[in-house]
Amino acid sequence: MARRRDYTYISPCIKWTLFFFNFLFWVFGLLIIAIGLYGVVFTAQDLYGLKSVEIAYIVITDLSGVMVALGSVIFIVSFAGCVGALRENLCLLKLYFWCLTIFLIAELMFAIACIIFPWKSREILESVLSKRLIEEYRESQNTQNFVDFLQSEFHCCGITSEGYHDWNSNEYFECSELNPSAEECGVPPSCCITYKKEMNYDIMCGYGIRNETKKHQIGNVIYTTGCVTAVINSLESNLYWAAGIIFGITLFQMYVTHQARSLMDQIALQRARWFRRSSYGASGAHEQLLTNVMPNGDIVMVLKRQR
């Protein structure tokens, strides 16, 4: 009888597995926030002298600002799952469960949109990235470092299908007689084929490369493919790896969502058992809690009392 009285509906395996995974993501979220804040500080220092509104806009839309926002979401959601599982808190677990559910639905809708409207999705992506990365290339060191990394690693130049012509949208590289910049009608050095491949590479290799007099040299000096096209081609050449990673991430999200839901149901059952025991324990009646799972997933609890 003592063993039956001490029985718990809450599975230690589910509880501690959920706690462990969310603790790891909680630490990961803190790390992303720390890196993002480090970048925010240096970005704000580079913008010293501008108006507060302009600084706030650039910092928020900067890569470091995006990292802080992303890290904060991961931190809050994983904190709710971690503490909710540890303390068996239904409120936090519900927050965690519904956040994961919303993320899964959003990812599914995004995937469906990309499949049904591939060219429109690509056009929107290229437009957003081009405005943020090309036009504001010199406005933030974080943006500049990211674009340089993207162009050098994927052997591309520019963002859209226009390739290196995208750099005409940047005021420093625009081909115009009124442009006083030394980089007029050029591209960043990360577009160059020799960028960081040689010990003493020429950082001025992209200067004036889009001039009419140098157009015949373009293919030998710089990359001509846009980065969105280059990234898509890279994913297609490693299709099985990319599909495996995406499938694994989605499967993991579904797994922890299911675990959270299971733990919530177990906590609800355990609380109902405690409530019934406290309500009828003084009457001397012997009680038995019967559970039944309905076809729609609801759990019906029936208390059987015997004298």
Side-chain angles (χ1 to χ4, degrees), residues 53-71:
V53 177
E54 294 177 343
I55 294 177
Y57 171 76
I58 294 175
V59 167
I60 292 173
T61 57
D62 187 65
L63 180 62
S64 56
V66 173
M67 289 184 67
V68 171
L70 177 63

Side-chain angles (χ1 to χ4, degrees), residues 82-97:
C82 183
V83 177
L86 181 64
R87 303 300 299 170
E88 300 174 7
N89 188 301
L90 276 178
C91 183
L92 290 176
L93 284 174
K94 286 180 180 179
L95 172 63
Y96 177 72
F97 171 78

Side-chain angles (χ1 to χ4, degrees), residues 4 24 28 53 71 106-107 113 120 131 150-151 153 171-172 184 193 290:
R4 177 62 184 172
L24 292 180
F28 180 64
V53 177
E107 291 168 10
K120 187 63 177 179
K131 180 175 178 58
L150 194 65
Q151 294 187 146
E153 290 297 320
E171 59 182 350
Y172 294 93
E184 183 257 339
I193 297 175
L290 303 178

Side-chain angles (χ1 to χ4, degrees), residues 56-285:
Y57 171 76
I58 294 175
V59 167
I60 292 173
T61 57
D62 187 65
L63 180 62
S64 56
V66 173
M67 289 184 67
V68 171
L70 177 63
S72 299
V73 172
I74 295 175
F75 174 83
I76 294 172
V77 175
S78 58
F79 177 81
C82 183
V83 177
L86 181 64
R87 303 300 299 170
E88 300 174 7
N89 188 301
L90 276 178
C91 183
L92 290 176
L93 284 174
K94 286 180 180 179
L95 172 63
Y96 177 72
F97 171 78
W98 285 111
C99 284
L100 289 184
T101 303
I102 292 172
F103 294 158
L104 279 170
I105 294 174
E107 291 168 10
L108 181 62
M109 292 177 62
F110 176 76
I112 293 174
C114 290
I115 293 172
I116 299 178
F117 309 105
W119 294 109
K120 187 63 177 179
S121 302
R122 178 172 176 170
E123 180 183 340
I124 294 174
L125 179 64
E126 289 181 346
S127 175
V128 172
L129 291 179
S130 179
K131 180 175 178 58
R132 186 66 190 91
L133 300 180
I134 298 295
E135 296 181 14
E136 302 180 18
Y137 175 75
R138 294 295 190 195
E139 304 300 327
S140 168
Q141 187 64 43
N142 294 324
T143 302
Q144 183 174 322
N145 291 339
F146 177 73
V147 173
D148 288 341
F149 169 80
L150 194 65
Q151 294 187 146
S152 61
E153 290 297 320
F154 288 94
H155 300 170
C156 55
C157 186
I159 299 297
T160 71
S161 56
E162 296 293 325
Y164 64 93
H165 293 292
D166 287 347
W167 288 106
N168 203 55
S169 300
N170 185 285
E171 59 182 350
Y172 294 93
F173 301 102
E174 181 185 7
C175 285
S176 172
E177 295 180 356
L178 302 177
N179 188 359
S181 172
E183 298 175 303
E184 183 257 339
C185 226
V187 294
S190 57
C191 283
C192 297
I193 297 175
T194 58
Y195 181 70
K196 290 189 177 180
K197 289 184 178 180
E198 300 178 0
M199 185 65 67
N200 298 314
Y201 64 91
D202 184 10
I203 62 172
M204 300 175 65
C205 60
Y207 280 35
I209 193 65
R210 290 187 294 113
N211 279 322
E212 291 293 334
T213 57
K214 293 186 178 181
K215 280 194 173 181
H216 64 283
Q217 303 176 7
I218 286 180
N220 299 322
V221 178
I222 65 172
Y223 301 113
T224 56
T225 307
C227 286
V228 170
T229 302
V231 171
I232 292 175
N233 292 338
S234 178
L235 290 175
E236 289 177 350
S237 61
N238 299 279
L239 184 60
Y240 292 111
W241 282 103
I245 292 173
I246 294 173
F247 178 76
I249 293 174
T250 305
L251 192 64
F252 177 77
Q253 285 182 278
M254 294 175 65
Y255 169 74
V256 293
T257 303
H258 175 266
Q259 294 292 81
R261 184 66 207 184
S262 299
L263 185 59
M264 288 165 55
D265 291 340
Q266 292 172 2
I267 293 173
L269 283 172
Q270 187 65 28
R271 287 186 175 181
R273 183 169 182 265
W274 289 337
F275 174 75
R276 296 300 184 183
R277 178 181 296 176
S278 61
S279 299
Y280 298 102
S283 64

Side-chain angles (χ1 to χ4, degrees), residues 1-9 270 273-274 277 281 284-287:
M1 181 64 68
R3 292 182 60 186
R4 177 62 184 172
R5 202 170 281 177
D6 295 336
Y7 174 77
T8 176
Y9 289 100
Q270 187 65 28
R273 183 169 182 265
W274 289 337
R277 178 181 296 176
H286 172 67
E287 62 178 19

